[in-house]
Amino acid sequence: MVAEKSQKDPKEFLPFLNDLKRKETNYRKYLIDVYLNRYDKALESICKCEERFEECMTFIKAHCLYKHAMRCFSKGSKEWTTVVQMYADYLFKDNKLYEAGLMYLRVCQYESALNVFKKDLNWKHAAVH
């Protein structure tokens, strides 16, 4: 399928295909899906590559795939917690304060949530937490 979508000369493309064959299965699927701009599918594959967690986090940030990434990891796992924390930070920077506060609460970042709710002037949530 990758070869069909490529605009490259087969002589240029063969080294790419040969390199793919040497990769671990899930990482190979990830690389192919990235090449085809299928980022949701690519994320699902790289999330299965435990040794590539940092690369996965970079990919999530680059393509704003936080919500999808939260579904790829087990709730409460270290990986899930990292994704939720990154998503909360992203929402905060994007000035979506209420949503950021809720995400901080999901990962028990109570002080961060309180600060965000105060900044949002959401006293109802600030007083509860």
Side-chain angles (χ1 to χ4, degrees), residues 92 95 97 114-123:
F92 178 76
N95 211 32
L97 302 178
L114 178 62
N115 291 333
V116 170
F117 288 136
K118 283 181 183 178
K119 186 173 177 158
D120 190 35
L121 301 177
N122 191 325
W123 297 108

Side-chain angles (χ1 to χ4, degrees), residues 59-68 90:
F59 185 74
I60 291 166
K61 278 184 181 180
H63 299 285
C64 296
L65 295 169
Y66 303 102
K67 287 183 180 181
H68 191 76
Y90 167 78

